[in-house]
Amino acid sequence: MDHPKRQISHVIHLLTAGSPADQKDALDAYFLPDASFIHPLCRVPSFSYISLPFIGEINSRWVIWMIYRWYKILSPRIVLNVECDEFNQNSSILFVDIHQIFSLFFVPFYKSNVRLTTKLQLVHSAHDGKYYIQSQEDLYQLNEVVKFFWPGGATIIWLWQVFATGLCILGALMLAPITWVEQRHANSVNGVKKGFVGQGGGDR
């Protein structure tokens, strides 16, 4: 890529909505041969060329192509929107916020409305001055990833998260003396006298 922020939306659409040939062309053009891939449901470690019976010579980029092909088989029609992106030129990391509607072909009338953030580690080639994708990591909240395989599961996860928040509050209040001891120790070490946030979120 000459301009990662400008081009990444087009690349993502080729990978998710393009034909198998489009997907392979995009991977060959923008991913390194030994690129890695991390998703909550699968993982491709970085590796160079190895030979497999009946298949021939492959690398990790080829495996990523298989994942994208399977993704397209599971959901032949994907509606996807790249909502924002941020490129840190110093670290060569590109963050992309994605909103997609994923429909499993074997579950009629079910569509999962999923949001994720994709972290792309890029490398800058001194040979041609372009950026190539070294690794892709798809970051999902738990209530988002279950939408792929558990209709209604996001609601269950949401309720559990609210319940767990209540447990956090209960535990913090019941074990408040531990907080007091920790604060007194911090005050003695730092030589200052500090309180901490009291009830209602205001300083007391």
Side-chain angles (χ1 to χ4, degrees):
M1 289 179 284
D2 296 305
H3 304 283
K5 283 193 68 171
R6 298 181 197 170
Q7 294 176 258
I8 193 59
S9 178
H10 177 63
V11 174
I12 291 173
H13 278 90
L14 287 175
L15 292 171
T16 56
S19 68
D22 290 335
Q23 291 175 324
K24 188 176 188 306
D25 289 343
L27 284 164
D28 289 343
Y30 302 113
F31 281 68
L32 294 178
D34 60 348
S36 63
F37 179 87
I38 301 174
H39 185 279
L41 302 178
C42 59
R43 177 184 293 261
V44 180
S46 171
F47 67 90
S48 298
Y49 294 94
I50 62 172
S51 183
L52 294 180
F54 310 109
I55 295 177
E57 202 172 59
I58 68 168
N59 52 30
S60 55
R61 183 172 62 189
W62 182 89
V63 180
I64 297 173
W65 180 38
M66 293 297 104
I67 291 175
Y68 274 111
R69 283 177 61 177
W70 178 239
Y71 174 83
K72 189 72 184 298
I73 291 170
L74 287 176
S75 181
R77 185 175 183 274
I78 298 167
V79 179
L80 182 143
N81 183 40
V82 177
E83 299 189 336
C84 70
D85 49 60
E86 185 60 41
F87 180 50
N88 186 321
Q89 198 160 2
N90 293 327
S91 61
S92 294
I93 294 177
L94 178 62
F95 287 97
V96 186
D97 283 342
I98 299 172
H99 174 218
Q100 64 177 333
I101 298 177
F102 184 87
S103 308
L104 293 170
F105 75 91
F106 54 84
V107 183
F109 311 114
Y110 175 68
K111 294 182 179 181
S112 57
N113 199 328
V114 180
R115 294 181 179 274
L116 72 146
T117 298
T118 294
K119 177 186 175 183
L120 300 171
Q121 178 66 61
L122 309 181
V123 293
H124 187 255
S125 172
H127 175 68
D128 58 13
K130 294 183 178 182
Y131 287 92
Y132 294 90
I133 297 172
Q134 184 179 48
S135 67
Q136 174 182 340
E137 183 175 1
D138 290 342
L139 307 171
Y140 291 83
Q141 291 292 327
L142 182 58
N143 60 308
E144 296 293 327
V145 73
V146 298
K147 293 177 181 179
F148 286 113
F149 55 86
W150 185 9
T155 301
I156 303 299
I157 298 297
W158 185 89
L159 291 172
W160 167 254
Q161 289 172 327
V162 173
F163 175 70
T165 300
L167 292 179
C168 292
I169 296 171
L170 181 62
L173 293 176
M174 291 182 63
L175 300 179
I178 295 177
T179 305
W180 301 337
V181 171
E182 289 177 344
Q183 187 59 53
R184 291 189 63 172
H185 175 70
N187 289 346
S188 64
V189 169
N190 298 326
V192 296
K193 187 174 182 180
K194 280 189 177 182
F196 52 87
V197 177
Q199 295 177 347
D203 292 331
R204 295 290 187 266

